[in-house]
Amino acid sequence: MPADEVNVARWLLAVGAEDTVALLYRDERLTCGQLRRQVDALAGALLLAGASKGDRVGLLSDNAPFFVISYLATVRAGLCSVPFPPGMDESSLRPMIEVAGIDRVLVQRKYMPFALKWDLGRKVELWPEASTTTSDGQRLTAASQRPTDTGLLDSVAIDPGEDLAVIWFTSGSTGRPKGVMVTHRNIASNTRDILSYMRLSPNDRVLAVLPLSYCFGASLLHTHLRAGASTVLSASFMLPEKVLDEMEAKACTGFAGVPSTYQILLRKTRFAQRRFPALRWLQQAGGKLPEPLIRELRQAHPKVKLFIMYGQTEATARLSYLPPEMLETKLGSIGRGLPSTRLEVVKDDGTLVAPGSDEVGEIVATGESVTKGYWNDPEETARYFRGGRLHTGDLARVDEQGFIYVVDRTRDFIKCAGNRVSAQEIEDVLADHPEVVHAAAVGTPDDLLGEAMTVYVVPRSAGSVSEQGIIDHCRQRLPNHKVPSRVLLVTRLPTNAYGKVLKTLLREGYWRGE
C-alpha cells in the first residue's frame, strides 16, 4: 500500500475538501474538516486514556455521527473497532465482548441507560457520547475542544496487511458469535474496487439505511468518504415511506439495500410511483433479489442504474458485481470478480465447473479483500479459509462468458422425497405473485418425505391471498415435487439487524410472525 494508505482511517478521510459536507443526520451537517478534527480528537483521547495498539474497542450506536466519529477514531488510533448491531440486548452483547476481549465500549447516549444496567461479567469501561451531564462526557468534550497532537497518532506504526481495523460479527453454523478479522489493507482494497465501477464523485450523496455495523453499510461510508462525497445517515427503516421522503428532500443520488429492503419498498410503499429527480443509482447485495423484483425495479425507475452485487463479510464487503447495462442479457447473474478478486467455481473433486454447462460448484475467492479469518476461532477459520482461499458456501454455475449464477446456499437446499430442491428457485416463483411482499422456503422435518417443502409468506395485506392461492400459483410454475406442501401466512419474517432472514428459526417450525 502507498504510504498514505498505511492507516485506512486517515486514507479514507484524506480526500474531502474542508468545507464539503461529509455527513447529514436529521438537521445536522458535518463537513469533512469537522469530521477529521473530531476523529483525531477522540483518537487522541483513547490513546491518552491508556488504549494500546491492537486493543479491541466496542461500539454501540445507531447510524449517527457518533458512530462514524467513534469508528474512524478507533481505527485512526491503531485500535480495532468492534461494532455491535444496534438494539442488542445484554445476553447477545456479552458473548461478543468476551470473545473479542473488549475493555472499552463507546456508547451512543440513547443506549447508556441500558448499558449501565448490564452485568458484562468483566470490567468494561463505558465511554458515552459527548455530554455535559456526565463526567466521562465532559472528559470527551474537553478532549474534542483542544488541538490534537497528530504526532501521537502518526507515531502508531501500522502494518496494513496484518493489523486489524475492524472485527465484524456474523452468525455461524455453531451458533457462537464469529468475529471476522478485517485489516486496513482489506478495507482499502475493497473500497478501491467498488469505486472503480461505481464512479462516485463529490456530487454523490447516498442515503444509508443499512446499519453501519454491517459490512455493506460500512462500505457505503468508506466509498463516499474516499470519493469526497456525502452520506445521509438514517437510523431506522421502520417507516419506509418516511425514508423515501428523506431521500427526496435531501436529493440523494444513491440508495442501497438488501433483498428485504427492496421487497418492502416495492410492495408496501409508493416507491414505484414516486419520482426522485436526483437519484441515479441503486445498489443491491446481501442475498439474491428475486428476478421478478429486479424487473419491477427496472420498470419503476428505468433511468436509474441498478448494481446487483455479491459479497460476504469474510471478504470485507464486495466480491463481484453485474454491470447495470447487462441486467437484461445476464438477469440472475452476480457478474464476475472485482479487479482485486479472483472468483472460481469449484466442484467437490477440486476441478472447475465447465463454463456453459449445468455443472454446479462452490464459489471460492482469493484476493486482497479476503480477510484473515475468524477472531480466536482457528477451527472455523480452517474450515472456510483454506490455503488463503475463502470457501463461501454458495453454490453456482458459470456461463460461456464467465458470468456466475448463484444456485443457492449449501445449507438452504431442501431434500424432499429424494429430490434436492433450491429454496431460491421457490422464492423467485413466490416473488412473482403481486400480493406477496416477502417469502422464504425451508425444509421442515417430515417422517415420510425427510423434509417437507414449507413456505412462509408475508402478504401485502390481510386476506389478500390464501394458502391455497399460493399453492395454486406454485403449481402453475413448478413441477410437482417442488410445489410446497405447507404454506404459512405470517405478518413478518424473522430477520437479523441487517435485514437478512433467519431461516434457522423457520426450520424449527415455530415461527408465526408475532
Side-chain angles (χ1 to χ4, degrees), residues 475-492:
R475 187 168 284 130
Q476 293 170 8
R477 294 162 173 79
L478 293 167
N480 286 337
H481 72 276
K482 295 182 180 181
V483 174
S485 56
R486 188 182 183 202
V487 176
L488 293 172
L489 299 179
V490 294
T491 57
R492 65 184 182 92

Side-chain angles (χ1 to χ4, degrees), residues 111-320:
Y111 291 116
M112 276 302 294
F114 305 100
L116 289 170
K117 296 176 183 178
W118 292 337
D119 177 13
L120 298 176
R122 53 177 290 166
K123 180 175 173 54
V124 177
E125 183 180 355
L126 299 176
W127 280 46
E129 182 177 4
S131 167
T132 57
T133 60
T134 68
S135 58
D136 281 341
Q138 289 171 354
R139 177 184 61 192
L140 290 180
T141 301
S144 66
Q145 289 174 347
R146 64 171 179 262
T148 304
D149 180 3
T150 55
L152 173 66
L153 301 177
D154 293 341
S155 68
V156 180
I158 296 295
D159 181 336
E162 291 296 326
D163 291 336
L164 302 185
V166 60
I167 293 175
W168 278 312
F169 274 96
T170 182
S171 60
S173 58
T174 62
R176 302 191 310 268
K178 296 197 302 181
V180 179
M181 300 184 290
V182 184
T183 68
H184 291 249
R185 178 170 292 158
N186 289 151
I187 294 174
S189 174
N190 208 235
T191 299
R192 277 195 303 264
D193 277 356
I194 297 170
L195 288 173
S196 72
Y197 64 83
M198 288 301 304
R199 303 187 185 281
L200 301 179
S201 78
N203 296 322
D204 273 291
R205 177 175 291 179
V206 66
L207 178 59
V209 298
L210 296 171
L212 298 178
S213 56
Y214 171 37
C215 67
F216 189 4
S219 75
L220 299 175
L221 176 67
H222 296 157
T223 50
H224 283 71
L225 285 174
R226 184 59 187 173
S230 305
T231 302
V232 178
L233 301 173
S234 180
S236 174
F237 194 61
M238 293 294 292
L239 300 172
E241 202 73 54
K242 295 289 186 183
V243 170
L244 297 180
D245 291 342
E246 184 170 35
M247 184 160 66
E248 182 179 6
K250 292 185 175 171
C252 294
T253 62
F255 180 84
V258 296
S260 63
T261 311
Y262 289 108
Q263 287 165 321
I264 290 170
L265 289 180
L266 287 169
R267 300 286 167 84
K268 298 288 281 188
T269 74
R270 296 182 59 254
F271 179 63
Q273 291 76 42
R274 295 180 62 165
R275 290 296 168 259
F276 306 91
L279 189 65
R280 73 177 188 89
W281 56 259
L282 300 169
Q283 292 184 39
Q284 185 273 313
K288 185 179 186 296
L289 184 65
E291 292 174 17
L293 296 182
I294 293 177
R295 287 192 288 266
E296 285 186 35
L297 276 176
R298 296 283 294 143
Q299 291 167 3
H301 299 281
K303 295 183 180 179
V304 176
K305 292 183 178 180
L306 174 58
F307 291 85
I308 300 295
M309 304 183 297
Y310 167 76
Q312 288 196 339
T313 306
E314 290 83 351
T316 307
R318 302 279 71 77
L319 283 165
S320 72

Side-chain angles (χ1 to χ4, degrees), residues 9 63 75 82 171 228 243 285 288 297 337 372 384 398 471 485 499:
N63 284 9
V75 178
V82 187
S171 60
V243 170
K288 185 179 186 296
L297 276 176
K372 291 164 63 71
Y384 289 101
V398 182
I471 292 175
S485 56

Side-chain angles (χ1 to χ4, degrees), residues 353-372:
V353 301
S357 72
D358 292 331
E359 293 180 349
V360 173
E362 182 182 17
I363 299 175
V364 177
T366 54
E368 289 188 346
S369 294
V370 173
T371 63
K372 291 164 63 71

Side-chain angles (χ1 to χ4, degrees), residues 348 358-362 393-396 407-426 449 451 453 479 481-482:
D348 290 341
D358 292 331
E359 293 180 349
V360 173
E362 182 182 17
D394 288 323
L395 300 181
V407 176
D408 214 335
R409 295 286 292 169
T410 303
R411 60 177 176 267
D412 286 347
F413 274 93
I414 301 165
K415 299 174 183 176
C416 183
N419 297 295
R420 199 161 178 257
V421 181
S422 165
Q424 185 172 286
E425 180 185 359
I426 311 306
L449 300 174
E451 283 188 320
M453 173 75 70
H481 72 276
K482 295 182 180 181

Side-chain angles (χ1 to χ4, degrees), residues 411-417 440-456 484-488 503-512:
R411 60 177 176 267
D412 286 347
F413 274 93
I414 301 165
K415 299 174 183 176
C416 183
V442 295
T444 53
D446 184 275
D447 291 338
L448 180 62
L449 300 174
E451 283 188 320
M453 173 75 70
T454 300
V455 296
Y456 291 78
S485 56
R486 188 182 183 202
V487 176
L488 293 172
K503 287 195 172 183
T504 302
L505 295 179
L506 300 181
R507 291 187 187 99
E508 293 172 354
Y510 302 115
W511 181 258
R512 292 297 180 271

